[in-house]
Protein backbone atom coordinates (compact mmCIF):
# COMPACT_ATOMS: atom_id res chain seq x y z
CA UNK A 1 0.00 0.00 0.00
CA UNK A 2 1.40 3.40 -1.00
CA UNK A 3 1.85 5.82 1.87
CA UNK A 4 0.14 9.18 1.69
CA UNK A 5 1.72 12.60 1.38
CA UNK A 6 0.94 14.75 4.44
CA UNK A 7 0.61 18.42 3.45
CA UNK A 8 0.45 21.30 5.97
CA UNK A 9 0.03 24.75 4.43
CA UNK A 10 0.13 27.00 7.53
CA UNK A 11 3.07 27.18 9.93
CA UNK A 12 5.26 29.81 11.62
CA UNK A 13 8.95 30.02 12.51
CA UNK A 14 11.39 32.34 14.25
CA UNK A 15 10.74 34.86 11.46
CA UNK A 16 7.28 35.58 12.90
CA UNK A 17 7.00 38.12 15.73
CA UNK A 18 4.96 35.67 17.81
CA UNK A 19 7.04 32.53 17.29
CA UNK A 20 10.51 31.34 18.31
CA UNK A 21 10.80 28.02 16.40
CA UNK A 22 14.39 27.65 15.09
CA UNK A 23 14.67 26.46 11.51
CA UNK A 24 17.09 23.53 12.08
CA UNK A 25 14.87 22.14 14.82
CA UNK A 26 11.80 22.69 12.67
CA UNK A 27 13.20 20.62 9.82
CA UNK A 28 13.99 17.79 12.23
CA UNK A 29 10.49 17.99 13.70
CA UNK A 30 8.83 17.93 10.27
CA UNK A 31 10.67 14.72 9.45
CA UNK A 32 9.79 13.20 12.81
CA UNK A 33 6.09 13.95 12.33
CA UNK A 34 6.09 12.51 8.81
CA UNK A 35 5.20 15.71 6.96
CA UNK A 36 5.83 15.26 3.27
CA UNK A 37 5.12 18.83 2.21
CA UNK A 38 5.20 21.95 4.36
CA UNK A 39 4.43 25.58 3.56
CA UNK A 40 6.18 28.12 5.78
CA UNK A 41 3.86 31.10 6.19
CA UNK A 42 5.42 33.60 8.53
CA UNK A 43 3.77 36.92 9.26
CA UNK A 44 4.86 39.37 6.54
CA UNK A 45 8.21 37.61 5.98
CA UNK A 46 9.55 35.08 3.47
CA UNK A 47 13.23 34.81 4.41
CA UNK A 48 12.74 31.85 6.74
CA UNK A 49 10.73 29.97 4.12
CA UNK A 50 13.52 30.49 1.61
CA UNK A 51 16.17 29.41 4.11
CA UNK A 52 14.24 26.28 5.07
CA UNK A 53 13.84 25.39 1.40
CA UNK A 54 17.60 25.58 0.92
CA UNK A 55 18.20 23.49 4.05
CA UNK A 56 15.70 20.86 2.90
CA UNK A 57 17.19 20.68 -0.58
CA UNK A 58 20.67 20.19 0.88
CA UNK A 59 19.44 17.42 3.21
CA UNK A 60 17.30 15.50 0.74
CA UNK A 61 20.15 13.75 -1.07
CA UNK A 62 21.15 11.79 2.02
CA UNK A 63 17.65 11.76 3.53
CA UNK A 64 14.96 11.21 0.86
CA UNK A 65 12.20 11.53 3.47
CA UNK A 66 12.98 15.24 3.86
CA UNK A 67 9.74 17.14 3.15
CA UNK A 68 9.08 19.27 0.14
CA UNK A 69 8.87 22.90 1.23
CA UNK A 70 6.75 25.71 -0.17
CA UNK A 71 7.61 29.37 0.24
CA UNK A 72 4.72 31.32 1.65
CA UNK A 73 3.68 34.33 3.71
CA UNK A 74 0.74 35.21 5.94
CA UNK A 75 0.15 38.74 4.75
CA UNK A 76 -1.50 41.37 6.93
CA UNK A 77 -3.79 43.28 4.58
CA UNK A 78 -5.73 46.33 5.73
CA UNK A 79 -8.76 44.08 6.26
CA UNK A 80 -7.28 40.90 7.65
CA UNK A 81 -4.93 38.09 6.72
CA UNK A 82 -4.38 36.17 3.52
CA UNK A 83 -1.74 33.54 2.77
CA UNK A 84 0.29 33.63 -0.41
CA UNK A 85 2.02 30.44 -1.57
CA UNK A 86 4.91 30.01 -4.04
CA UNK A 87 6.29 33.45 -3.35
CA UNK A 88 9.82 34.52 -4.21
CA UNK A 89 9.58 37.86 -2.44
CA UNK A 90 7.53 39.28 0.42
CA UNK A 91 4.24 41.02 -0.24
CA UNK A 92 4.16 44.26 1.78
CA UNK A 93 1.78 44.46 4.69
CA UNK A 94 -0.93 47.12 4.85
CA UNK A 95 -2.19 46.83 1.28
CA UNK A 96 -5.83 46.35 0.37
CA UNK A 97 -6.96 42.73 -0.01
CA UNK A 98 -7.33 43.33 -3.75
CA UNK A 99 -3.78 44.64 -4.12
CA UNK A 100 -2.45 41.82 -1.94
CA UNK A 101 -4.12 39.25 -4.19
CA UNK A 102 -2.69 41.01 -7.25
CA UNK A 103 0.83 40.93 -5.76
CA UNK A 104 0.55 37.22 -4.94
CA UNK A 105 -0.77 36.28 -8.35
CA UNK A 106 1.78 38.56 -9.99
CA UNK A 107 4.44 36.18 -8.65
CA UNK A 108 2.56 33.19 -10.03
CA UNK A 109 1.40 32.31 -6.53
CA UNK A 110 -1.76 30.93 -4.98
CA UNK A 111 -4.11 32.74 -2.60
CA UNK A 112 -5.14 30.76 0.48
CA UNK A 113 -7.84 31.91 2.88
CA UNK A 114 -6.76 31.03 6.45
CA UNK A 115 -9.16 30.79 9.44
CA UNK A 116 -11.60 32.88 7.44
CA UNK A 117 -14.76 32.30 9.46
CA UNK A 118 -13.70 32.43 13.10
CA UNK A 119 -15.06 35.66 14.63
CA UNK A 120 -12.61 35.36 17.53
CA UNK A 121 -9.62 35.50 15.19
CA UNK A 122 -8.82 39.20 15.37
CA UNK A 123 -6.88 39.11 12.12
CA UNK A 124 -9.25 37.04 10.01
CA UNK A 125 -10.20 38.53 6.66
CA UNK A 126 -13.34 40.62 7.12
CA UNK A 127 -16.56 39.29 5.57
CA UNK A 128 -16.81 42.39 3.37
CA UNK A 129 -13.30 41.85 2.01
CA UNK A 130 -13.94 38.15 1.46
CA UNK A 131 -17.06 38.96 -0.54
CA UNK A 132 -15.04 41.27 -2.81
CA UNK A 133 -12.21 38.81 -3.54
CA UNK A 134 -14.09 35.51 -3.30
CA UNK A 135 -13.58 34.72 -6.98
CA UNK A 136 -9.81 35.03 -6.60
CA UNK A 137 -9.37 32.60 -3.69
CA UNK A 138 -7.53 29.44 -4.81
CA UNK A 139 -7.54 27.37 -1.58
CA UNK A 140 -9.64 27.49 1.59
CA UNK A 141 -8.29 26.37 4.96
CA UNK A 142 -10.90 23.85 6.11
CA UNK A 143 -9.01 22.72 9.20
CA UNK A 144 -6.99 25.03 11.42
CA UNK A 145 -5.67 23.26 14.51
CA UNK A 146 -5.77 26.48 16.57
CA UNK A 147 -9.16 27.89 15.65
CA UNK A 148 -11.43 28.92 18.54
CA UNK A 149 -14.11 26.31 17.82
CA UNK A 150 -14.29 23.37 15.36
CA UNK A 151 -17.52 24.77 13.92
CA UNK A 152 -15.53 27.50 12.15
CA UNK A 153 -13.49 24.86 10.35
CA UNK A 154 -16.74 23.31 9.18
CA UNK A 155 -17.88 26.74 7.97
CA UNK A 156 -14.72 27.05 5.88
CA UNK A 157 -15.21 23.59 4.40
CA UNK A 158 -18.82 24.40 3.49
CA UNK A 159 -17.83 27.73 1.89
CA UNK A 160 -15.21 25.95 -0.23
CA UNK A 161 -17.56 23.14 -1.22
CA UNK A 162 -20.19 25.61 -2.39
CA UNK A 163 -17.61 27.12 -4.75
CA UNK A 164 -15.84 23.95 -5.81
CA UNK A 165 -12.54 25.05 -4.28
CA UNK A 166 -9.81 22.76 -2.93
CA UNK A 167 -9.30 22.77 0.82
CA UNK A 168 -6.21 22.71 3.01
CA UNK A 169 -5.28 22.00 6.61
CA UNK A 170 -2.89 24.00 8.75
CA UNK A 171 -1.31 23.33 12.11
CA UNK A 172 -0.87 27.11 12.44
CA UNK A 173 2.04 25.99 14.60
CA UNK A 174 3.84 28.60 16.70
CA UNK A 175 5.80 26.05 18.78
CA UNK A 176 7.64 22.85 17.92
CA UNK A 177 5.05 20.87 19.87
CA UNK A 178 2.30 22.12 17.54
CA UNK A 179 4.07 21.04 14.35
CA UNK A 180 2.24 18.23 12.57
CA UNK A 181 -1.16 18.73 14.18
CA UNK A 182 -3.04 19.17 10.87
CA UNK A 183 -2.57 18.05 7.29
CA UNK A 184 -4.18 16.94 4.06
CA UNK A 185 -3.45 13.29 3.32
CA UNK A 186 -2.91 13.03 -0.43
CA UNK A 187 -1.39 10.56 -2.85
CA UNK A 188 2.37 10.97 -3.27
CA UNK A 189 2.94 13.90 -5.61
CA UNK A 190 5.35 16.60 -6.66
CA UNK A 191 3.99 19.81 -5.16
CA UNK A 192 6.84 22.04 -6.32
CA UNK A 193 4.39 23.90 -8.58
CA UNK A 194 1.01 25.48 -7.88
CA UNK A 195 -0.63 23.11 -10.33
CA UNK A 196 0.86 20.08 -8.59
CA UNK A 197 -0.35 21.26 -5.21
CA UNK A 198 -3.90 21.97 -6.39
CA UNK A 199 -4.14 18.52 -7.95
CA UNK A 200 -2.91 16.88 -4.75
CA UNK A 201 -5.35 18.82 -2.56
CA UNK A 202 -8.35 18.03 -4.74
CA UNK A 203 -7.74 14.31 -4.22
CA UNK A 204 -6.77 14.56 -0.55
CA UNK A 205 -8.47 14.17 2.81
CA UNK A 206 -8.31 16.72 5.63
CA UNK A 207 -7.04 15.32 8.93
CA UNK A 208 -5.78 16.75 12.19
CA UNK A 209 -6.09 17.32 15.90
CA UNK A 210 -7.80 20.45 17.21
CA UNK A 211 -6.63 21.99 20.46
CA UNK A 212 -8.25 25.05 21.98
CA UNK A 213 -5.78 27.94 21.52
CA UNK A 214 -5.80 28.82 25.22
CA UNK A 215 -4.68 25.28 26.02
CA UNK A 216 -2.07 25.29 23.25
CA UNK A 217 -0.53 28.62 24.25
CA UNK A 218 -0.40 27.60 27.92
CA UNK A 219 2.26 25.00 27.13
Amino acid sequence: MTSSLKIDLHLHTEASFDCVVPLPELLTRLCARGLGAQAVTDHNEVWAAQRLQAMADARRGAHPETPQTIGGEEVSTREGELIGLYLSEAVPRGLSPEETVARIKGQGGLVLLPHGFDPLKKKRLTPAALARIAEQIDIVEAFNARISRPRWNRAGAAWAAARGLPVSAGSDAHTLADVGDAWVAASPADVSTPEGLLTALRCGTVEGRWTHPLVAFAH
Side-chain angles (χ1 to χ4, degrees), residues 121-196:
K121 285 280 189 182
K122 293 189 297 183
K123 296 183 180 179
R124 71 160 177 157
L125 193 69
T126 66
L130 178 56
R132 298 199 309 270
I133 66 167
E135 298 302 316
Q136 299 178 78
I137 299 294
D138 298 302
I139 303 168
V140 180
E141 189 174 67
F143 189 97
N144 180 295
R146 297 296 173 264
I147 211 155
S148 68
R149 290 288 187 273
R151 62 181 291 191
W152 305 121
N153 281 330
R154 294 193 293 271
W159 192 88
R163 290 158 179 79
L165 292 173
V167 296
S168 68
S171 60
D172 202 356
H174 286 70
T175 71
L176 280 174
D178 295 339
V179 172
D181 277 358
W183 64 89
V184 168
S187 297
D190 179 358
V191 297
S192 61
T193 66
E195 295 77 16

Side-chain angles (χ1 to χ4, degrees), residues 26-105:
L26 172 59
L27 188 55
T28 299
R29 177 69 171 173
L30 292 174
C31 294
R33 293 301 301 269
L35 271 299
Q38 179 66 60
V40 175
T41 55
D42 284 305
H43 297 291
N44 308 303
E45 299 283 358
V46 298
W47 65 262
Q50 294 169 344
R51 191 171 298 175
L52 189 72
Q53 284 180 308
M55 292 168 59
D57 290 344
R59 186 182 189 279
R60 193 169 293 111
H63 302 278
E65 77 284 0
T66 301
Q68 303 175 64
T69 56
I70 298 168
E73 177 188 359
E74 190 164 27
V75 188
S76 299
T77 81
R78 290 201 297 264
E79 298 177 62
E81 292 176 332
L82 287 169
I83 286 177
L85 300 175
Y86 298 95
L87 300 182
S88 57
E89 59 184 52
V91 175
R93 64 184 303 164
L95 301 175
S96 70
E98 290 85 349
E99 179 60 20
T100 300
V101 166
R103 296 286 188 101
I104 293 170
K105 291 185 178 290

Side-chain angles (χ1 to χ4, degrees), residues 113-124:
L113 175 68
H115 47 62
F117 301 89
D118 185 350
L120 297 184
K121 285 280 189 182
K122 293 189 297 183
K123 296 183 180 179
R124 71 160 177 157

